[in-house]
Amino acid sequence: MNGQIIEVENLWKCYYVTQEKRRTLKETVLKGFGRMRRRQTVWALQDVSFKLEAGRTLGIIGNNGAGKSSLLRLVCGLGRPTRGAITVRDRVSSLLELGTGFHPDLTGRENIYIGGLVAGLTREEVSHKLDPIIEFAELEAVIDTPLRTYSSGMYLRLAFATAINYDPGLLVVDEALSVGDIRFQKKCLTRMQEMKQGGTTIVVVSHVMSQIEDLCDEVLWLEQGKVRLHGPTPEVIKRYQERVFTRVVASPGMNRSDGDELNTPGEVSVSDEENSGQFTETLSGTHQIEIRGVRISNEFGTEIDTLVSGEPLQVQINYFAREKISRPIFMVGIFRDDGLKCYESSTEADGIFIETVEGTGFISINYAALPLLRGSYWLGVSIFDQHWETAYDYKGQMSPFEVVGTVPGTGIFHPPHKWSS
């Protein structure tokens, strides 16, 4: 299908929240009907407008309570707008609540049929897709046992596989990409990339910016129910992450300047030991996790302040978590002495998810080679919550180091190359 799949025009949606606890009939009679509970109007969406062309993938981002899930439910036809209009011109398959309609006493195979019927397929259509769904979910050994015997991970894999292996014109996904382990998550993302390449229109909500970057052609940023920005994915994500910094980090000295990035892969490891380190600039966060120092060393573990261009480098971040924190995100940036950002990445972007941290510990990232050109550099290190909504700590201008060597060229880095004719 060509043209616009979704058209949203001046969309408003309100909900009513009761301010007093529910009463029994006896309490209502005794206290009088004149003192019945009052309702508060909460606007989940306010004057939202956008259009989505067929075959494109739209990411929707924003803090919790921004209105993302409310918008998706209206796109799926689950409710009506309070004001405005929403038009959807294709068959919709949604991943809003995984496993809707599943019954614990039925087998996995029987529940696949239920999921297909809920999605509007015939029994014959489900039968045709049965084997690919079971194979995708990796549940061949247990598919004929009751669902109540499945682990939570097995249950979610079955639900995701059932929903994603149907062929809708429009796929709507709400925070369903954290299913299973990292390997299965990548498998799900690959399947969605295949659907995208096959022409499926996709709308996805996720707090994981790396997933949005990988999947989406454009991004809609919601804030307090309103559209703050709608545009190309790199631009909107950059603006969103900058706002996360500026809203939570109070000190004005943090550098978020633009610059070319080196896409150097890193190997990340976590330990529960504490090591020393010094920093020169401190920027405020909530300090639920505090950066105690950063240590840079060569491939032999020796602390250094000078690096030969192209040699390996290890960066170790020492932290103290004042309470048990789930899934924190660690970010490391390398900046030239004039503030130009040379490279920046995070544990999340590299597919590393740390379940919990508490007390003292460290996390390290190892660069197999760092081909920066000669000059002076420093590190910026930050820690965020799992939704990028809260900055726990940020420290800039840490661990200054010099890059030396005789490699030619100008710019930031020296990529391996060879001339030929």
Side-chain angles (χ1 to χ4, degrees), residues 55-356:
R56 291 182 65 80
T57 300
L58 172 70
I60 302 178
I61 64 175
N63 294 346
N64 290 332
K68 304 183 299 296
S69 295
S70 295
L71 179 57
L72 289 197
R73 291 180 66 83
L74 294 178
V75 169
C76 295
L78 303 176
R80 296 181 179 179
T82 306
R83 295 203 299 265
I86 181 167
T87 304
V88 178
R89 299 186 178 93
D90 214 327
R91 172 181 167 184
V92 181
S93 177
S94 64
L95 290 166
L96 301 183
E97 296 180 7
L98 291 177
T100 300
F102 279 9
H103 195 288
D105 291 330
L106 299 179
T107 66
R109 188 185 303 273
E110 291 167 336
N111 275 294
I112 291 175
Y113 279 99
I114 290 177
L117 296 175
V118 169
L121 276 69
T122 65
R123 184 175 182 84
E124 290 71 24
E125 288 174 322
V126 178
S127 296
H128 181 70
K129 297 177 179 294
L130 187 64
D131 288 341
I133 290 172
I134 297 172
E135 181 181 356
F136 189 92
E138 303 171 2
L139 296 174
E140 294 90 340
V142 297
I143 197 62
D144 292 309
T145 59
L147 197 64
R148 54 181 163 77
T149 65
Y150 288 19
S151 68
S152 58
M154 294 162 64
Y155 178 94
L156 292 174
R157 293 210 310 271
L158 179 66
F160 193 96
T162 300
I164 207 171
N165 278 280
Y166 300 138
D167 300 315
L170 172 62
L171 177 67
V172 178
V173 183
D174 187 5
E175 290 292 352
L177 296 179
S178 58
V179 174
D181 55 24
I182 293 175
R183 182 191 60 80
F184 192 79
Q185 291 175 25
K186 291 182 177 179
K187 182 177 179 179
C188 294
L189 286 167
T190 299
R191 171 62 176 147
M192 291 182 66
Q193 290 281 14
E194 293 171 353
M195 295 175 71
K196 175 181 176 179
Q197 293 168 4
T200 301
T201 307
I202 302 174
V203 178
V204 57
V205 165
S206 178
H207 285 289
V208 182
M209 292 300 105
S210 58
Q211 293 177 351
I212 296 291
E213 288 176 319
D214 290 341
L215 277 174
C216 300
D217 304 303
E218 55 192 272
V219 172
L220 181 75
W221 170 12
L222 293 177
E223 188 170 86
Q224 297 181 344
K226 302 176 182 178
V227 176
R228 181 169 181 85
L229 191 62
H230 180 202
T233 297
E235 176 187 344
V236 178
I237 288 182
K238 176 178 179 292
R239 295 277 297 276
Y240 175 71
Q241 291 182 332
E242 285 175 346
R243 183 162 175 80
V244 170
F245 272 107
T246 57
R247 289 183 66 181
V248 180
V249 180
S251 207
M254 181 170 52
N255 188 304
R256 296 290 294 170
S257 59
D258 295 334
D260 297 330
E261 295 186 0
L262 307 179
N263 189 17
T264 307
E267 177 186 352
V268 182
S269 60
V270 183
S271 177
D272 288 327
E273 301 175 14
E274 184 178 20
N275 292 277
S276 61
Q278 300 297 322
F279 56 85
T280 60
E281 179 187 5
T282 302
L283 299 173
S284 299
T286 67
H287 282 195
Q288 290 165 275
I289 309 177
E290 182 181 342
I291 299 168
R292 290 287 178 86
V294 171
R295 181 179 185 270
I296 60 173
S297 58
N298 61 19
E299 59 184 319
F300 305 107
T302 303
E303 191 167 0
I304 60 173
D305 57 15
T306 301
L307 178 73
V308 176
S309 179
E311 286 190 344
L313 181 73
Q314 180 183 82
V315 177
Q316 180 175 292
I317 306 165
N318 309 304
Y319 64 81
F320 175 72
R322 301 183 186 281
E323 56 189 88
K324 182 177 287 187
I325 303 291
S326 298
R327 292 213 166 189
I329 298 171
F330 289 79
M331 177 180 284
V332 175
I334 300 176
F335 298 84
R336 203 166 60 186
D337 59 355
D338 60 359
L340 177 67
K341 181 170 65 178
C342 305
Y343 169 79
E344 189 174 63
S345 190
S346 67
T347 49
E348 177 200 86
D350 289 331
I352 304 299
F353 298 95
I354 304 163
E355 288 304 320
T356 59

Side-chain angles (χ1 to χ4, degrees), residues 23-33:
R23 295 178 182 175
T24 65
L25 178 60
K26 180 179 179 181
E27 288 175 328
T28 301
V29 171
L30 291 176
K31 294 185 178 181
F33 286 92

